[in-house]
Amino acid sequence: MRSSRLWPVAAALILAVTLALVPSGVLAQSSDPVRAGTGMVVSESWIASEAGRDVLAAGGNAVDAAIATGFALAVTHPSAGNIGGGGFMVIRFPNGQTTAIDFREKAPLASHPEMWLENGEYSAERHHRSHWAVGVPGTVAGFDKAHSLYGDMNWERIVYPAVVLADDGFVLSDRLSGSLSRFALTDGRPAATVAQFSNGGTAYAAGETLRQTDLGRTLKRIMLDGRDGFYRGETARLLVAEMERAGGLITAADLEIYEARERVPVTGYYRGYEVISMPPPSSGGVAMVTMLNMLERFDLASFGHNTAPYIHHLSESMRRAFRDRAQFLADPDFVDVSVHALTSKEHAAELGNDIQSDRATPSGVSDIPMGYESPETTHYSVVDGNGMAVSVTYTLEGGFGTGIVVPGAGFLLNNEMGDFNAGPGLTNDRGLIGTSPNLARPQQRMLSSMTPSIVARDGRLVAVVGSPGGRTIINTVMQVILNVVDFGMNIQEAVNAKRIHHQWLPDRIGIEADGASAETVRLLEAMGHTVQVGGGQGTAHSIMIDPRTGERLGAADPRNPDAGARGH
Ligand code: GLY
């Protein structure tokens, strides 16, 4: 599997020519998707999409291309693309069968539910920004597992484009150079972080080349030794040395025993469409199917897109599903989660029974508050020539995770432990949550909102959808699906359309800037809603299949100009 040494020169040449010729992801910024006859990759970075597309063009399947894209994103989209974090992959095979790979980070063996208390007081610093905030990374194990179960192509060929991108570098866009300098040159960043993401302590300008040679060496070890190139040997030694230096918790044993899990996806049915998504430890699939089940009894199209009655009904279903999320969802290896019951039509009927057509249902004082969850993370979608579809969302949690680059290894460490609850009984009105299911315990996976999803109908692939955005992810993905199913939008229009968000608490509807008229906001307020307009919500890089021609229609989200849909 890891034997061939002949192809790297050719692959490097192809990659270098491609990088020189194609300047931007601008193609995807209209209301028309990018069309391709065979395969398609859409991601946050057009450079990474091309790495995946080239794997498809060279005969790899959608899983191979997804892994290549994921490793490339770890180089070209460092705020969320990663090898030091974790995530989820949902796969639909050409025969309609589905599966999911869970490579969510795990709590180190030394973790415990009260670990975020310092002298009896909750410490947000420890929970979100310290070396204790780092979960045992899962990405490399997840990609290795997906490849060994369902990949077709030589592993080295798949990882190699990322090695070249790290070693030879890539040209920085306006957006990325700006975000790197804001991140790396903030006071207090570790020396290895400043060294990796600035030019000797000076900000990179757009048009300059970012080379990451330590990361290149780590990726080479992964290319040659697969999983062991990360969880054992030099990479593991460097990671554990950083933990020991700074009093972190991850040990060689934590790395050695980390395993990705294959899981059964959550499947729901909405107006005849099959919606396949990620089960716990993500809350995404369960919450989205619960909302769709509640919404099915309303004629949403007749309300009109983003009108007051439409936004009202969405918000009412969102607040109810998010309450379930806080009460019931966590790592199923530790907590009994009744996925079947929560996603049943009967449960939705009960939950949505008291939705009124013209009055908001306030989120009451006895309700369960939500803790902080970062809007960072990244999603990408892949479809190959045989119709295999792969939907991947993975993350470092915060933008650039903890901000700590492992010295000598060149990758950023996640702060995913922040997705565990604050501590037993710590629920309070400032937004801490202390319910038991999602407390930090040795080896437990923290609850996530990531919602990599696939839609099918009558046995045929319809779309691949997902997004970053913390808890807004679930609502973003659902709205892209509603835009296609209820409003007949093409996939680019569905991705571009303005989105809304409600998450139970705070009891407030968020609407993207220019997402609703002043009159719509006034009508919503008259129903008893609090409304906040502004900002953006997610970047939902998606693919749809043209039902007439079978073409792959790629929709990069224009909210990130560096994103790109690349097909062949
Ligand atoms: N850390 C973001 C998520 O897992 O949903």
Side-chain angles (χ1 to χ4, degrees):
M1 182 170 72
R2 311 190 198 288
S3 57
S4 163
R5 295 281 189 283
L6 294 177
W7 51 267
V9 175
L13 273 173
I14 292 167
L15 195 69
V17 169
T18 312
L19 293 183
L21 289 180
V22 186
S24 80
V26 79
L27 275 178
Q29 298 200 20
S30 73
S31 57
D32 292 325
V34 173
R35 292 180 170 266
T38 310
M40 178 68 71
V41 181
V42 191
S43 83
E44 202 79 69
S45 150
W46 63 268
I47 302 170
S49 298
E50 294 200 339
R53 187 272 316 273
D54 292 348
V55 161
L56 290 179
N61 68 17
V63 167
D64 299 321
I67 296 167
T69 306
F71 279 125
L73 282 166
V75 182
T76 63
H77 183 58
S79 65
N82 71 80
I83 54 175
F88 305 119
M89 176 184 288
V90 174
I91 305 170
R92 183 180 185 275
F93 301 95
N95 66 3
Q97 288 186 339
T98 62
T99 191
I101 308 291
D102 168 6
F103 53 99
R104 184 71 162 163
E105 298 92 327
K106 285 183 146 199
L109 291 163
S111 308
H112 55 91
E114 287 93 9
M115 65 190 288
W116 313 119
L117 301 181
E118 220 172 341
N119 304 322
E121 287 291 310
Y122 169 74
S123 165
E125 178 66 26
R126 188 183 274 190
H127 194 190
H128 294 285
R129 290 179 284 280
S130 71
H131 280 69
W132 282 29
V134 185
V136 182
T139 296
V140 176
F143 287 173
D144 180 87
K145 188 168 193 92
H147 182 255
S148 62
L149 290 173
Y150 303 116
D152 257 358
M153 195 180 237
N154 177 293
W155 171 261
E156 288 182 359
R157 167 67 185 87
I158 297 169
V159 186
Y160 186 72
V163 175
V164 175
L165 285 165
D167 279 352
D168 294 356
F170 65 99
V171 175
L172 289 168
S173 68
D174 251 3
R175 180 184 164 107
L176 185 52
S177 58
S179 104
L180 284 184
S181 59
R182 282 189 299 278
F183 160 63
L185 301 179
T186 296
D187 282 350
R189 291 286 176 226
T193 303
V194 178
Q196 176 135 342
F197 294 116
S198 72
N199 197 355
T202 304
Y204 278 112
E208 288 192 283
T209 297
L210 175 68
R211 292 188 181 80
Q212 302 170 79
T213 47
D214 285 346
L215 178 59
R217 273 189 286 275
T218 298
L219 287 165
K220 235 169 271 165
R221 289 191 286 273
I222 294 167
M223 178 176 82
L224 295 174
D225 298 328
R227 185 193 185 288
D228 287 353
F230 186 88
Y231 294 91
R232 290 180 169 171
E234 181 67 357
T235 313
R237 190 188 66 70
L238 291 166
L239 197 165
V240 172
E242 171 61 13
M243 287 289 143
E244 286 173 352
R245 187 195 63 73
L249 299 182
I250 297 175
T251 62
D254 283 306
L255 295 173
E256 183 73 36
I257 61 178
Y258 181 88
E259 270 187 61
R261 291 281 309 263
E262 186 168 27
R263 299 197 188 270
V264 178
V266 168
T267 301
Y269 295 89
Y270 178 71
R271 303 197 202 280
Y273 288 81
E274 185 186 353
V275 178
I276 303 138
S277 193
M278 193 67 207
S282 182
S283 60
V286 169
M288 180 170 68
V289 169
T290 307
M291 294 190 286
L292 289 171
N293 285 342
M294 273 186 272
L295 289 171
E296 203 172 30
R297 73 184 164 97
F298 302 109
D299 183 0
L300 298 180
S302 74
F303 295 149
H305 189 258
N306 279 5
T307 58
Y310 179 69
I311 294 172
H312 166 72
H313 284 85
L314 258 58
S315 302
E316 291 302 309
S317 74
M318 288 168 179
R319 77 164 82 228
R320 287 162 173 78
F322 272 82
R323 182 178 181 175
D324 268 13
R325 177 193 191 273
Q327 266 187 303
F328 302 120
L329 298 179
D331 183 349
D333 293 341
F334 284 74
V335 174
D336 204 7
V337 183
S338 309
V339 171
H340 185 72
L342 290 171
T343 57
S344 68
K345 299 282 184 198
E346 294 74 24
H347 178 64
E350 217 170 282
L351 210 55
N353 189 29
D354 60 347
I355 295 180
Q356 299 176 56
S357 61
D358 56 357
R359 285 309 303 160
T361 318
S363 303
V365 284
S366 62
D367 297 332
I368 297 161
M370 301 288 181
Y372 175 75
E373 197 174 309
S374 156
E376 297 295 334
T377 294
T378 189
H379 172 81
Y380 58 98
S381 300
V382 183
V383 175
D384 70 18
N386 291 324
M388 183 192 249
V390 178
S391 192
V392 180
T393 314
Y394 74 151
T395 187
L396 289 165
E397 163 54 8
F400 302 96
T402 50
I404 300 162
V405 166
V406 176
F411 65 90
L412 280 155
L413 293 170
N414 69 80
N415 58 341
E416 217 73 57
M417 296 287 282
D419 280 353
F420 280 119
N421 292 349
L426 275 190
T427 303
N428 70 17
D429 57 10
R430 294 191 311 278
L432 291 186
I433 175 163
T435 47
S436 170
N438 186 40
L439 291 172
R441 301 176 181 92
Q443 293 280 292
Q444 183 160 339
R445 291 178 156 100
M446 56 295 286
L447 184 63
S448 170
S449 298
M450 292 187 285
T451 315
S453 302
I454 298 175
V455 182
R457 188 181 175 118
D458 301 330
R460 296 170 71 153
L461 177 64
V462 172
V464 186
V465 187
S467 180
R471 275 187 283 274
T472 68
I473 292 173
I474 309 169
N475 294 333
T476 291
V477 176
M478 180 180 76
Q479 285 167 86
V480 173
I481 293 172
L482 295 179
N483 290 345
V484 168
V485 172
D486 291 81
F487 294 95
M489 294 185 198
N490 78 36
I491 191 69
Q492 189 69 60
E493 293 164 337
V495 165
N496 294 0
K498 301 291 180 178
R499 307 192 256 266
I500 71 124
H501 177 68
H502 197 298
Q503 61 173 45
W504 187 251
L505 283 173
D507 187 355
R508 174 177 75 212
I509 301 174
I511 303 178
E512 283 190 304
D514 303 320
S517 67
E519 176 60 7
T520 297
V521 172
R522 196 192 61 72
L523 289 170
L524 287 165
E525 286 171 346
M527 291 182 203
H529 291 287
T530 300
V531 182
Q532 190 176 56
V533 181
Q537 185 175 316
T539 43
H541 310 303
S542 303
I543 300 175
M544 197 163 164
I545 306 300
D546 186 322
R548 216 168 32 81
T549 64
E551 280 174 300
R552 281 68 172 120
L553 311 177
D557 196 318
R559 290 166 182 80
N560 179 359
D562 290 347
R566 294 292 186 266
H568 77 108

